[in-house]
Every structure is written in C-alpha cells, then in structure tokens.
Amino acid sequence: AIQAELALQPLQNWCEKAGSLWCGGIGVGGGGGLAMMPKLEPGQGPKAPIDKALASLSEVILKKEVQDNKYVSGAFPRFLYKLGAQMGWRQMIKANGRKTSDLKRRPE
C-alpha cells in the first residue's frame, strides 16, 4: 500500500497551497484483488482493514482533527491477489478480440 504515497502527496501539496486543511489520507494497496472480491458486509472478510481505515478517517474528519496518512492493504494472501489480477487480464484480452496466449507474446 505504500506505493500510494506517490498518489497522496500531490493531493496533500494542493490542499496546503490552496489554504485547505489536509486531515490525512488513506493509501489502499491490492486494487487488482479488490476488484475481483465479492460484495461483503462492511468490516468483514479481506476488506476489513480497509473498512477500519475508512471509518477511522471519517471520525477524524467529523472531529475536525488531523491524522498522518495511513496505508492499508486487503487481508488476503499474495497468491489470491495474483490470481484475481490474472483473471482480469484474461477477461480483458478476450473482450478485445485477442487470445490468452497473446499475453505471453514479447514486443518485436
């Protein structure tokens, strides 16, 4: 999730230059796996750490406090994350009229 630091930094800088208060942000890792997850109740399953971080940030905002940026990832193993991402690649390539074997092609 730390790779999201590069995405949060410009937002924080913009807020400071615009004279707004930056209350903190949440950097979420594992987006490819999250897209393939079934819908669950908030706070349940692999999305629980992300739901907790969002609830914490909403409390900070409502209290008009400030927190440091937080970085969280879904609570599921790496092999499931990779499996979800690979399923998405296969679906996208088929939707674009190509074959899954084209995923292994190298640029000429």
Side-chain angles (χ1 to χ4, degrees), residues 57-89:
L57 180 61
S58 67
E59 289 177 19
V60 166
I61 292 171
L62 290 173
K63 292 178 182 177
K64 297 182 181 177
E65 296 176 347
V66 175
Q67 74 172 16
D68 289 333
N69 293 337
K70 292 183 180 180
Y71 304 99
V72 296
S73 294
F76 49 90
R78 180 176 169 80
F79 81 92
L80 286 178
Y81 171 78
K82 289 178 71 175
L83 182 65
Q86 290 172 1
M87 286 174 51
W89 296 333

Side-chain angles (χ1 to χ4, degrees), residues 6-71:
L6 296 175
L8 288 177
Q9 196 60 46
L11 295 171
Q12 185 174 355
N13 289 340
W14 181 85
C15 283
E16 290 170 3
K17 288 184 180 189
S20 297
L21 176 64
W22 177 258
C23 292
I26 300 173
V28 179
L34 293 174
M36 300 304 287
M37 295 293 300
K39 295 207 182 239
L40 300 170
E41 292 294 320
Q44 300 293 315
K47 294 182 183 177
I50 298 164
D51 292 336
K52 284 182 184 178
L54 288 171
S56 173
L57 180 61
S58 67
E59 289 177 19
V60 166
I61 292 171
L62 290 173
K63 292 178 182 177
K64 297 182 181 177
E65 296 176 347
V66 175
Q67 74 172 16
D68 289 333
N69 293 337
K70 292 183 180 180
Y71 304 99

